[in-house]
Amino acid sequence: MKPTVMIVEDEPSLVTMLRYNLEKEGYQVTEAGDGEEAMTVANETTPDAVILDWMLPRMSGIEVCRQLRRKAETRNVPIIMLTARSEETDKVRGLNVGADDYLTKPFSMPELVARVRALLRRTKPSQSKGQLTFGDIVLDLDAHRVSRGGKYIHLGPTEFRLLQYLMERPGTVFSREELLNGVWGPDIYVEPRTVDVHIRRLRKALNIEESVDVIRTVRAAGYALDLSGDQAA
Ligand code: CA
């Protein structure tokens, strides 16, 4: 069964481009031109992933996101939100509507396709994905939540994927390039230094109170999840 991606976008030319590129990747595509139609289409065919424009006629992308999250069938479906400017992205992020990823228009099709692929890889629909644990850290793949010592930790989507990747292979040292390929995907071109930025954010979020630093920096090699702490200092 091919995964179904629902496109919710009112710009016909963009819908055509998205459909073409997603079908080329082997996905089934459903589409809706406004927020209300999105809910109807999602009822007819439960999507495996949703590409959701923020500015839509009749019902905003934010409201669509909220409604999809309220329904049992679409509660865990990955949603990529499209916004017109980065300030909008920040605003939507701040509203914490439950999207898994955000893209600012204009974006490249390879980047979008890579993000969809990464999100689908993470989710296997209609089946519990369970949780990963490492020391006192618990990453719940269904609820998309992370806690440490029983305390909920807020992570951005990239930090969540990064932590998941490390928790799936504890103790393994990954180079920046390996993390870029595994977490961002092979088609996304970002500076290896970007990894450092997200590792720093992840480390900051995880190291609450007196917790042991679980991310080990291996000089000239990369990073690993390890209870022995940071040895580069
Ligand atoms: Ca729009």
Side-chain angles (χ1 to χ4, degrees):
M1 269 291 276
K2 293 180 187 174
T4 301
V5 180
M6 177 168 78
I7 303 167
V8 188
E9 170 63 63
D10 58 322
E11 221 173 286
S13 59
L14 185 53
V15 174
T16 307
M17 283 290 290
L18 286 166
R19 176 184 275 280
Y20 172 77
N21 282 279
L22 290 165
E23 285 180 345
K24 206 172 67 181
E25 280 294 303
Y27 299 121
Q28 296 209 64
V29 173
T30 57
E31 57 184 67
D34 65 57
E36 281 175 22
E37 194 188 351
M39 297 314 297
T40 311
V41 172
N43 275 337
E44 284 163 2
T45 313
T46 305
D48 298 301
V50 179
I51 296 167
L52 180 59
D53 186 29
W54 180 33
M55 295 293 284
L56 288 167
R58 289 146 75 101
M59 194 198 289
S60 76
I62 290 169
E63 189 50 33
V64 173
C65 197
R66 288 203 178 108
Q67 293 204 15
L68 288 171
R69 287 291 177 248
R70 253 182 248 136
K71 286 164 54 74
E73 304 79 46
T74 48
R75 183 160 296 147
N76 297 314
V77 77
I79 298 173
I80 300 179
M81 201 100 171
L82 306 179
T83 61
R85 291 188 304 272
S86 58
E87 306 94 81
E88 287 181 354
T89 308
D90 293 342
K91 193 170 163 192
V92 176
R93 237 186 250 272
L95 287 169
N96 203 9
V97 289
D100 298 271
D101 208 348
Y102 302 87
L103 265 181
T104 305
K105 292 177 182 177
F107 49 84
S108 79
M109 283 297 154
E111 176 163 20
L112 178 110
V113 169
R115 301 257 189 124
V116 170
R117 202 186 302 130
L119 285 174
L120 283 169
R121 207 190 297 133
R122 206 186 65 203
T123 355
K124 288 193 185 72
S126 70
Q127 130 188 0
S128 174
K129 297 172 296 295
Q131 55 186 33
L132 297 166
T133 56
F134 183 80
D136 57 354
I137 301 171
V138 179
L139 186 144
D140 188 323
L141 292 161
D142 295 309
H144 212 258
R145 271 172 174 264
V146 175
S147 65
R148 181 158 197 191
K151 280 195 186 124
Y152 171 64
I153 292 170
H154 177 77
L155 293 181
T158 304
E159 284 73 40
F160 186 93
R161 288 200 300 270
L162 190 55
L163 180 63
Q164 180 184 347
Y165 193 81
L166 293 170
M167 284 180 82
E168 281 166 350
R169 304 148 187 93
T172 312
V173 178
F174 293 104
S175 68
R176 290 175 180 83
E177 287 71 23
E178 285 170 323
L179 290 173
L180 281 176
N181 271 328
V183 177
W184 280 260
D187 303 329
I188 293 190
Y189 297 99
V190 287
E191 281 278 298
R193 288 284 151 207
T194 307
V195 174
D196 299 346
V197 172
H198 289 280
I199 284 278
R200 209 176 304 134
R201 281 190 204 153
L202 178 60
R203 191 175 252 152
K204 197 174 164 219
L206 287 177
N207 294 343
I208 41 169
E209 292 165 13
E210 313 283 286
S211 314
V212 177
D213 189 357
V214 290
I215 298 172
R216 179 158 62 97
T217 306
V218 184
R219 204 189 288 270
Y223 298 101
L225 202 62
D226 203 316
L227 281 172
S228 60
D230 192 338
Q231 296 173 350

